[in-house]
Amino acid sequence: MKIGVLISGRGSNLAAIISAIKYKKIPAEINCVISDRVSAKGLEISAINKIPAIFIDPKGLTREEYDHLLVTELKKQGVELVCLAGFMRIISLYFVRSFPNRIMNIHPALLPSFPGLSSQKQALEYGAKVSGCTVHFVDEGCDTGPIILQKAVPILEDDTEESLAKRILAEEYKLYPEAISLFCQGRLKVEGRRVRIV
Ligand code: GRF
């Protein structure tokens, strides 16, 4: 299975996926990493691990024009699964339809709670006692696609946005590789909104 990972920044989930592949927990290889930001630290992580990494500049392009470039590159690399890992752009219907049920995302909350940006802050401000992380397939909405795996993380009395984000991230590093591995083994069956693990 050939994976393409899209990033915009730090790339710590990318690092977790690379490590899981290295330790044979995911039967796949990362064929390319693409960033929409030239300064993304994840590009360095790719280079250190000898994974082809490219920056595609969104400047001056419409969402559709940009996504055409992305899809062309991903197809050129023979990518079969696209993993969004801190990719800070909303993707177009064209992109979603180019990889039906073949684009995954990780979100730092238990969807459908706290979609969009600053999910940890949203959870704290709401006064929730539990948050967590979700791996889901990407559809045309924002954080609305069929849910693959979720992991709950308790919110503690003295949590700050940073402390909560850190504990959620520790779970993200396990959950995302697990979901990718299930996909690569052909064990995810999408039936409407539900994803069955077979
Ligand atoms: C993670 O919290 C992920 O859930 C969200 O964006 C963040 C990316 O962090 N989608 P990193 O770039 O993987 O370190």
Side-chain angles (χ1 to χ4, degrees):
M1 184 73 67
K2 293 174 178 170
I3 299 176
V5 183
L6 305 193
I7 57 162
S8 295
R10 188 174 50 187
S12 65
N13 274 287
L14 166 67
I17 298 166
I18 292 172
S19 166
I21 291 173
K22 205 176 275 174
Y23 287 100
K24 311 224 177 296
K25 289 184 187 151
I26 302 176
E29 56 178 323
I30 299 177
N31 275 54
C32 67
V33 170
I34 302 176
S35 172
D36 65 331
R37 295 196 191 151
V38 71
S39 58
K41 198 164 165 279
L43 287 174
E44 290 167 32
I45 297 173
S46 314
I48 291 166
N49 287 280
K50 302 192 170 38
I51 297 167
I54 47 172
F55 160 59
I56 302 185
D57 193 350
K59 213 165 94 197
L61 301 178
T62 64
R63 189 182 312 287
E64 276 68 26
E65 285 166 347
Y66 188 76
D67 284 2
H68 268 85
L69 292 182
L70 280 183
V71 169
T72 303
E73 188 60 37
L74 291 165
K75 296 271 186 199
K76 195 171 99 189
Q77 302 290 340
V79 164
E80 298 162 279
L81 172 67
V82 181
C83 294
L84 310 185
F87 188 59
M88 300 304 288
R89 295 174 62 87
I90 292 176
I91 67 174
S92 64
L93 200 54
Y94 166 74
F95 189 172
V96 174
R97 288 191 178 152
S98 301
F99 289 92
N101 287 334
R102 284 179 172 271
I103 309 172
M104 280 185 192
N105 182 42
I106 181 130
H107 183 76
L110 294 177
L111 292 171
S113 291
F114 315 126
L117 296 173
S118 308
S119 307
Q120 301 89 345
K121 186 162 178 261
Q122 290 186 54
L124 282 170
E125 284 178 355
Y126 196 87
K129 301 291 184 190
V130 178
S131 192
C133 47
T134 303
V135 181
H136 63 94
F137 283 114
V138 174
D139 66 6
E140 51 273 28
C142 175
D143 300 327
T144 53
I147 290 170
I148 302 166
L149 292 175
Q150 292 187 300
K151 177 76 183 181
V153 173
I155 297 178
L156 308 179
E157 289 297 322
D158 55 355
D159 256 337
T160 60
E161 212 181 312
E162 291 70 34
S163 64
L164 178 59
K166 200 169 159 202
R167 287 206 319 288
I168 293 176
L169 266 179
E171 297 301 335
E172 292 183 33
Y173 300 155
K174 294 181 255 176
L175 202 70
Y176 210 178
E178 191 184 335
I180 295 169
S181 182
L182 288 169
F183 181 92
C184 294
Q185 294 171 63
R187 293 184 57 198
L188 299 180
K189 298 276 171 260
V190 185
E191 295 170 357
R193 278 216 54 85
R194 302 191 72 175
V195 180
R196 276 199 309 126
I197 299 170
V198 295

